[in-house]
Amino acid sequence: MNDGNSKSPSGDLMVGSVLDKIVFRKKQEIADAKALISAQDLEKSVHFNRTPYSFKEFLLAEDRTGIIAEFKRRSPSKGLINGIADVAEVTQAYNQAGASALSVLTDVDFFGGKTDDLLAARAANEIPVLRKDFMIDEYQILEAKAWGADIILLIAAILTPQQINDFGKFAQNLGLNVLLEVHNLEELERSICANIDAIGINNRNLADFTVDIQTSFDLVNKIPNEFLKISESAISDPKIIKELKQAGFDGFLIGENFMKTENPGAAIKDFVAQI
């Protein structure tokens, strides 16, 4: 897989291999899932016929913060972040603190997520839920719909422009909202298409996993105004929310900053009080 990260002589090879491993494992997971549950079975699920919440409506609501609060147990770069948090309890606290949406990891091997986390978040909340995973197959989009997600994530670093266009169209036809994630200008320019609702700038450098909020400020004006604009990662200071809003961002994906604490619900409440 060419993930666009092969330019630097050392770090990118390492990260390229991480992305490659994730995508390789994901292909195995999808094959196993298809063998167990058919697409037709997914379409019969209890959530499949529900109307997803509008990402835009909740993100721009005056009584909400614009924060997309993430439930994440671990990551390849940080290892274990929080092994004890209860997904229903944490996501309800996020909701009550004014989160506009929830992001729930469903990747098992690399992020410690699971299907039940998304189902639990859905059952406990009446705000949009993002299925945070590495989407490389339409089957995963059907899963997201069946599990009660409202938003799917498409990561430009692992998808072709054609895949982004096709997956976005497939998801929107199911009523799902589509968030495209990019890491740099090249990914942004080649990936923009009509079949997405929001564009997220991930401030994490895929070459070395460092984060730099400046990436968002550099790219915000490159995002066409018809799309919701999201800044992801590296948001740990409440003051930066005001600066990002002034720059033109509508949403702010924050996970690790809350999840690394003993009480993520209290952490977001304190954070929001300072915005």
Side-chain angles (χ1 to χ4, degrees), residues 41-53:
D41 287 336
L42 288 174
E43 291 170 1
K44 294 174 186 173
S45 70
V46 65
H47 290 304
F48 204 86
N49 290 321
R50 67 175 281 272
T51 301
Y53 294 116

Side-chain angles (χ1 to χ4, degrees), residues 51-109:
T51 301
Y53 294 116
S54 165
F55 189 23
K56 182 176 183 178
E57 184 179 317
F58 277 80
L59 204 63
L60 303 182
E62 290 185 6
D63 62 341
R64 294 278 163 179
T65 59
I67 292 173
I68 304 155
E70 187 160 274
F71 186 88
K72 175 167 65 175
R73 290 190 175 86
R74 59 185 172 91
S75 75
S77 59
K78 294 289 185 180
L80 184 67
I81 297 168
N82 191 324
I84 59 170
D86 177 79
V87 64
E89 182 181 324
V90 169
T91 57
Q92 280 183 314
Y94 283 165
N95 185 352
Q96 290 162 7
S100 291
L102 305 166
S103 172
V104 180
L105 270 294
T106 56
D107 176 80
V108 179
D109 289 356

Side-chain angles (χ1 to χ4, degrees), residues 234-248:
I235 303 172
S236 56
D237 185 345
K239 294 175 187 172
I240 204 73
I241 298 287
K242 294 177 184 176
E243 295 177 26
L244 288 166
K245 280 185 178 179
Q246 289 173 349

